[in-house]
Amino acid sequence: MNTNIHIGSCAWTYDDWRGSFYPADLPKSRWLAWYARVFNAVEIDSTFYASPPANTVARWLGEAPPHFRFTCKAPKTITHQLRLRGCEKLLADFLETMQPLHRHIGAVLMLPPGFAPERDATALRDFVLALPHGWRFAIEFRHADWHQPRFVKLLEDHGVCWAWTDMTSVADQDQAPFGFLSETADFLYVRLMGDLKTKYGAGGKRVFQYKERLWSRAAAIESWAVRLHKQAEHVKAIHILCSNHYEGFAPVTCRELGGRLGVEITLPATVAPELGPKGPRQMKLL
């Protein structure tokens, strides 16, 4: 097993996974322990909405095997409300809350929304300069205007990871691993998200049930595997987090990519076997 590659999903609490990944009668309080028997990483989504209570962090710590890695989203008060401005105390408080998990945390992810260089370059610089030592941070930029050498150098100078995010459509899946992917730290943070424009329908409601693979991104997975295999030779760690929406069912995406990277993932018997070739399936709508 490649011990510097950590691969998992963008959360572990999906209700759709009851009966399709988790046993139908397994209490939700035991889901993380079950999940950690299969994968060696997960992205904590709930921290985006609020800092967790101390007893929750303690429970996560108790259920994490020594090799397991969490990544966590910074609270939206930092990224969305304050937009990385004047948030040093809030970030310090959040990190203090997460301190018991410190040795298990691969990175803290910042997702500043709608950031634009002409308006937010100074805020980004000040935020990066003020980041505390002793933690690993990653920032996801979703706008191409940030693809400039000066921003790459800013992150590189301070060891902050430029998160690599694949949000291509299924039709354009072979393009994602060859976009603007800057290496600015001694680790990589890779998010396979899928085309978010197809995730929600009218009124912002989720369109699909995520219980099995609904469409194949075999070409993208193969290309990502080739690229990440090369990167693994000279970075300390690679954190790969897969969204359900990437192929319809993150556990299968993790297994397919992990197998190509030397991280063998055996899914539980609750996961239905795929019938026929691993191509697109009939999409199950909500």
Side-chain angles (χ1 to χ4, degrees), residues 2 12 31 45 64 69 71 87 119 123 134 160 166 170 175 182 187 191 209 218 224 234 254 256-257 266 275 277-278:
N2 195 326
W12 71 85
W31 280 16
D45 180 65
R69 293 293 177 267
T71 63
C87 56
R119 182 183 63 238
V160 176
D166 182 351
V170 174
Q175 304 298 317
S182 296
F187 69 99
R191 305 182 81 221
Q209 287 184 318
W224 274 118
H234 62 274
C254 293
E256 297 299 299
L257 181 55
T266 302
L275 303 177
K278 294 178 180 177

Side-chain angles (χ1 to χ4, degrees), residues 100-245:
L101 271 179
H102 182 270
R103 65 187 175 90
H104 287 280
I105 293 180
V108 178
L109 177 66
M110 305 292 167
L111 296 165
F115 248 38
E118 63 272 14
R119 182 183 63 238
D120 301 305
T122 300
L124 174 68
R125 182 201 64 200
D126 293 345
F127 177 79
V128 169
L129 291 175
L131 284 173
H133 297 290
W135 295 81
R136 291 186 177 91
F137 297 96
I139 301 179
E140 180 178 288
F141 299 99
R142 292 190 175 180
H143 199 289
D145 285 355
W146 290 101
H147 298 175
Q148 300 181 37
R150 61 184 174 124
F151 300 121
V152 173
K153 188 174 188 307
L154 172 67
L155 268 60
E156 187 175 36
D157 286 348
H158 297 278
V160 176
C161 178
W162 187 295
W164 296 0
T165 305
D166 182 351
M167 294 190 294
T168 53
S169 67
V170 174
D172 298 324
Q173 62 174 284
D174 58 341
Q175 304 298 317
F178 308 104
F180 188 88
L181 303 175
S182 296
E183 187 178 331
T184 58
D186 62 1
F187 69 99
L188 298 180
Y189 196 122
V190 182
R191 305 182 81 221
L192 305 187
M193 303 301 294
D195 183 3
L196 300 186
K197 296 189 295 295
T198 64
K199 187 174 184 179
Y200 302 102
K205 292 185 177 181
R206 187 161 55 84
V207 176
F208 303 105
Q209 287 184 318
Y210 298 124
K211 295 177 177 290
E212 61 182 346
R213 181 157 63 174
L214 300 175
W215 49 86
S216 173
R217 289 179 179 265
I221 288 174
E222 185 62 35
S223 296
W224 274 118
V226 171
R227 177 151 194 160
L228 294 175
H229 180 75
K230 294 178 180 177
Q231 300 293 132
E233 298 175 358
H234 62 274
V235 295
K236 291 182 179 179
I238 300 178
H239 305 284
I240 307 167
L241 291 311
C242 304
S243 167
N244 274 326
H245 193 63

Side-chain angles (χ1 to χ4, degrees), residues 52 55 71 78 157 202 233 249 286:
N55 62 338
T71 63
I78 294 173
D157 286 348
E233 298 175 358
F249 193 50
L286 289 173

